[in-house]
Amino acid sequence: MTAYDRIGVGYARGRRTDPRWLAPLLDALGDAASVLDVGSGTGSYEPPGRRVAAVEPSAEMIRQRPPGAAPVVRAVAEALPFAACTFDAALAVLTVHHWPDWRRGLAELRRVARRQVVLAYDTARHKDFWLVREYVPEVAELERSRPSASDIAASLGARSVVPLPVPWDFTDGVFPAHWRRPEAYLDPAVRQACSALAQTAPGAVARGMARLRADLASGRWHEEHRDLLELPEWDAGFRLITS
């Protein structure tokens, strides 16, 4: 059983494709006619109009793939069941930080495809996110164990690293998606869709949510973070890496 067989229940309800991220992903794929989506999850960012195959280790995530989604193979990034140069591009969206041997997984992306498009994030930015810094600092320990976008870019020999800011009304419930909507984190379903919170000790998360609820009720959160309230988007550290 993978981690996502445990924490991925209901994932598709909270993690929905946002066109403001899909567009740059499609641009990064360029003219690639065949794409392998590695660590595909529910297939949120699989490109339409191309030949797509998917690789996903979690049976729970595969179960949530919608009708008509790309064919999926249950496998891991570190051992892709395809011959060299099978695909024009390999796509990996917010998955590399979950791979036990991420360097080997990236080497596999390079083996099976001439182009690699990886969406990752700067772990330092996530560790400094207000939700971590002020409410659930235990998440920082998890982030310290994960590769950062700069590590991934260096390993791939990236030719392009582009920031993808998070709009204030982002529809894909990534961990910092609700940076301007703090009350969303009080919803257990929202937290379940964020692996950083779902993989943190429940007691630590519960204590943090109690503090957040109190600070929202008192107005303290809005006073201390009033600089965020008028921003249309925020750089949470997400980086689109192309090699």
Side-chain angles (χ1 to χ4, degrees), residues 80-93:
L80 296 175
F82 300 98
C85 304
T86 299
F87 300 92
D88 295 327
L91 176 66
V93 177

Side-chain angles (χ1 to χ4, degrees), residues 40 43 58 70 115-117 128 163 180 231:
S40 62
S58 166
R115 177 180 300 178
Q116 299 79 42
V117 177
D128 196 44
R180 211 181 93 174
L231 295 180

Side-chain angles (χ1 to χ4, degrees), residues 130 133-134 179-180 220-234:
W130 60 259
R133 189 177 64 246
E134 300 170 28
W179 57 270
R180 211 181 93 174
R220 180 176 180 270
W221 187 95
H222 288 83
E223 176 61 26
E224 295 200 353
H225 297 284
R226 59 185 179 275
D227 57 315
L228 296 178
L229 298 179
E230 298 301 322
L231 295 180
E233 59 183 24
W234 179 65

Side-chain angles (χ1 to χ4, degrees), residues 144-197:
R144 275 190 283 271
S145 71
R146 293 173 161 180
S148 194
S150 57
D151 303 317
I152 294 166
S155 184
L156 284 173
R159 58 182 174 84
S160 174
V161 178
V162 177
L164 289 190
V166 181
W168 77 270
D169 57 349
F170 202 50
T171 59
D172 186 350
V174 294
F175 178 43
H178 308 287
W179 57 270
R180 211 181 93 174
R181 297 170 288 168
E183 62 283 349
Y185 292 108
L186 301 179
D187 184 345
V190 168
R191 299 196 300 271
Q192 184 68 25
C194 303
S195 67
L197 292 174

Side-chain angles (χ1 to χ4, degrees), residues 8-231:
V9 176
Y11 185 91
R13 291 194 297 272
R15 301 297 296 272
R16 300 182 300 276
T17 309
D18 192 295
R20 292 165 290 188
W21 272 16
L22 180 59
L25 280 168
L26 296 178
D27 287 344
L29 289 170
D31 62 356
S34 59
V35 178
L36 179 65
D37 185 13
V38 180
S40 62
T42 60
S44 295
Y45 290 97
E46 287 171 4
R50 312 191 195 209
R51 297 192 305 276
V52 180
V55 168
E56 169 56 46
S58 166
E60 175 59 33
M61 299 298 276
I62 291 172
R63 186 187 64 78
Q64 295 178 61
R65 292 174 66 82
V72 60
V73 176
R74 192 174 181 189
V76 297
E78 295 91 339
L80 296 175
F82 300 98
C85 304
T86 299
F87 300 92
D88 295 327
L91 176 66
V93 177
L94 296 179
T95 177
V96 176
H97 58 280
H98 291 302
W99 299 352
D101 188 343
W102 61 271
R103 290 182 178 86
R104 182 176 174 186
L106 294 179
E108 281 287 88
L109 298 191
R110 300 184 73 175
R111 182 183 66 82
V112 302
R114 61 180 176 83
R115 177 180 300 178
Q116 299 79 42
V117 177
V118 177
L119 177 54
Y121 64 89
D122 180 345
T123 55
R125 292 284 294 177
H126 276 215
K127 285 186 289 186
D128 196 44
F129 179 35
W130 60 259
L131 187 66
V132 177
R133 189 177 64 246
E134 300 170 28
Y135 298 100
V136 195
E138 292 82 358
V139 170
E141 186 62 32
L142 177 64
E143 296 296 357
R144 275 190 283 271
S145 71
R146 293 173 161 180
S148 194
S150 57
D151 303 317
I152 294 166
S155 184
L156 284 173
R159 58 182 174 84
S160 174
V161 178
V162 177
L164 289 190
V166 181
W168 77 270
D169 57 349
F170 202 50
T171 59
D172 186 350
V174 294
F175 178 43
H178 308 287
W179 57 270
R180 211 181 93 174
R181 297 170 288 168
E183 62 283 349
Y185 292 108
L186 301 179
D187 184 345
V190 168
R191 299 196 300 271
Q192 184 68 25
C194 303
S195 67
L197 292 174
Q199 292 181 288
T200 297
V205 175
R207 287 191 296 272
M209 293 306 102
R211 290 194 295 269
L212 177 59
R213 184 177 291 105
D215 285 352
L216 289 173
S218 70
R220 180 176 180 270
W221 187 95
H222 288 83
E223 176 61 26
E224 295 200 353
H225 297 284
R226 59 185 179 275
D227 57 315
L228 296 178
L229 298 179
E230 298 301 322
L231 295 180

